[in-house]
Amino acid sequence: MKIYYYVHTGHRTGLDRFRRACTIIRALGDVEITLLCSDFRIASEARHFGISKSVGIDVVRNIPKIANYGDKIIFDSDEANPIMLEDMRKYFSAFIRISDNKNECKADNEFLISPYLSGEGICNALVVDDKYFKQEEKTIKLSYFFGDDDYEKDLEKNLGFIEDLNPDLLLGFYYFLDYEDFLRNKFKNHHEFEEYDEVIKKSQILITASPQAVLENLASGAKPVYVQRDDYTTDFLELFETLNIPIVKNYDKAYLIDIISSINNNNYSKMEHSSNKIANFIKENLNL
């Protein structure tokens, strides 16, 4: 009987779910888990994130071609419809699902990790690696990380949103090669994808459309500003409001400037370490 972790990744969905998958797998220590990614590129790079076993699959319905009946799985994706989810709950002997939807209802034959819900069989927690809680000197005054994916080149289309602010730019994982070159020339200071951790931990103010980067930057003691993309879920908005994280919509530059000018007066909430809580919840419900 094997344990799998399926995560939705790709050039149109980014790496937010992948980053928290790596956090959870690392928190589980020596538990043997195979990470399944819906993208072959990041599956081949997963070893650089501390993941020893990773496999790329083209579509979520092909999970049974790799996993066997009675195996166990952690599932982080919103691709599956209710019928497919129920089939998977029956296929696996233990099914743990991660969801950011505050309107979710936990099924009887699953366990749930959620930032909103609580109750029996639910772990109410935010997935942030402990490494981000280590306070480091904030050597980058202002940085901008649009996200790991920008298939439509929306960063370029909305350059005026942040260009005059002269932020450091953190490049994403799924950017086109010519696009990366264009952006490097547009920003005086830029950082490669491999510098992600350093930029997140050392930025005093981080402007980003990545929900996971927001949480990680907040954990580091910094002041993130969330940019809501039109093509991204709005599931995090209520959560960020409770954490007093400023939210910018429609690339409202005037509002962004107002936020930055008064950001020291904003009372951000303090993040809590949850890695052990999540790891213990998973081990208990996978009977490890």
Side-chain angles (χ1 to χ4, degrees):
M1 186 178 297
K2 296 183 178 180
I3 302 173
Y4 293 90
Y5 190 133
Y6 174 78
V7 60
H8 189 197
T9 59
H11 63 277
R12 289 186 181 272
T13 56
L15 291 179
D16 285 76
R17 294 176 188 269
F18 173 81
R19 292 187 190 282
R20 66 183 179 189
C22 294
T23 293
I24 289 175
I25 292 174
R26 288 193 296 261
L28 289 171
D30 58 358
V31 176
E32 188 171 315
I33 295 178
T34 300
L35 180 64
L36 306 177
C37 304
S38 55
D39 172 70
F40 291 88
R41 180 180 170 190
I42 194 60
S44 67
E45 298 287 335
R47 65 188 182 280
H48 299 302
F49 296 83
I51 306 301
S52 59
K53 293 185 178 182
S54 57
V55 178
I57 59 175
D58 49 359
V59 289
V60 64
R61 63 176 176 270
N62 283 343
I63 292 177
K65 292 185 178 180
I66 297 175
N68 294 315
Y69 179 80
D71 284 338
K72 303 174 182 181
I73 194 168
I74 304 167
F75 186 82
D76 190 354
S77 171
D78 57 5
E79 299 164 277
N81 59 42
I83 295 175
M84 188 183 300
L85 279 176
E86 187 56 31
D87 287 343
M88 291 189 355
R89 294 185 190 107
K90 294 175 181 177
Y91 187 82
F92 292 97
S93 60
F95 188 82
I96 297 178
R97 187 162 57 91
I98 301 175
S99 174
D100 306 306
N101 187 343
K102 64 184 178 65
N103 297 315
E104 284 281 8
C105 293
K106 189 189 84 67
D108 292 336
N109 50 348
E110 72 172 1
F111 300 97
L112 195 65
I113 298 174
S114 166
Y116 293 112
L117 307 178
S118 58
E120 186 177 355
I122 301 174
C123 180
N124 178 262
L126 294 170
V127 182
V128 177
D129 197 296
D130 286 344
K131 65 184 176 182
Y132 295 108
F133 288 89
K134 297 178 181 178
Q135 300 298 306
E136 296 191 17
E137 182 182 358
K138 300 295 185 278
T139 56
I140 303 174
K141 184 177 179 180
L142 179 67
S143 62
Y144 185 48
F145 175 55
F146 185 73
D148 278 304
D149 63 300
D150 190 11
Y151 191 82
E152 301 296 336
K153 298 187 177 182
D154 288 325
L155 195 166
E156 177 185 354
K157 294 174 185 175
N158 297 281
L159 269 179
F161 174 60
I162 43 84
E163 199 167 21
D164 296 339
L165 299 174
N166 298 316
D168 283 24
L169 176 70
L170 174 60
L171 294 167
F173 184 76
Y174 290 105
Y175 290 6
F176 300 102
L177 291 178
D178 62 332
Y179 190 37
E180 289 183 338
D181 292 337
F182 167 80
L183 293 172
R184 289 188 186 101
N185 292 327
K186 280 290 183 179
F187 289 83
K188 181 179 179 180
N189 296 315
H190 62 269
H191 304 267
E192 302 300 321
F193 163 79
E194 292 81 5
E195 300 174 75
Y196 176 90
D197 281 351
E198 180 180 358
V199 174
I200 296 301
K201 291 189 288 185
K202 294 187 176 182
S203 294
Q204 181 180 346
I205 301 173
L206 173 71
I207 305 169
T208 180
S210 162
Q212 191 63 26
V214 165
L215 296 174
E216 292 164 352
N217 183 247
L218 179 62
S220 76
K223 302 177 184 298
V225 177
Y226 181 59
V227 179
Q228 178 62 59
R229 288 170 53 167
D230 291 338
D231 59 335
Y232 263 33
T233 177
T234 58
D235 285 344
F236 290 91
L237 292 183
E238 186 171 320
L239 171 64
F240 289 166
E241 287 172 358
T242 63
L243 294 172
N244 293 322
I245 294 169
I247 299 167
V248 180
K249 301 177 182 177
N250 302 316
Y251 300 101
D252 188 336
K253 183 174 182 177
Y255 183 51
L256 175 63
I257 292 174
D258 183 56
I259 288 172
I260 293 176
S261 64
S262 60
I263 202 162
N264 289 329
N265 299 323
N266 191 61
N267 186 24
Y268 283 83
S269 297
K270 189 175 181 180
M271 290 280 294
E272 295 183 4
H273 293 251
S274 297
S275 293
N276 288 338
K277 177 181 178 181
I278 295 169
N280 291 335
F281 175 83
I282 292 174
K283 288 179 180 179
E284 177 183 350
N285 292 297
L286 291 183
N287 296 315
L288 301 179

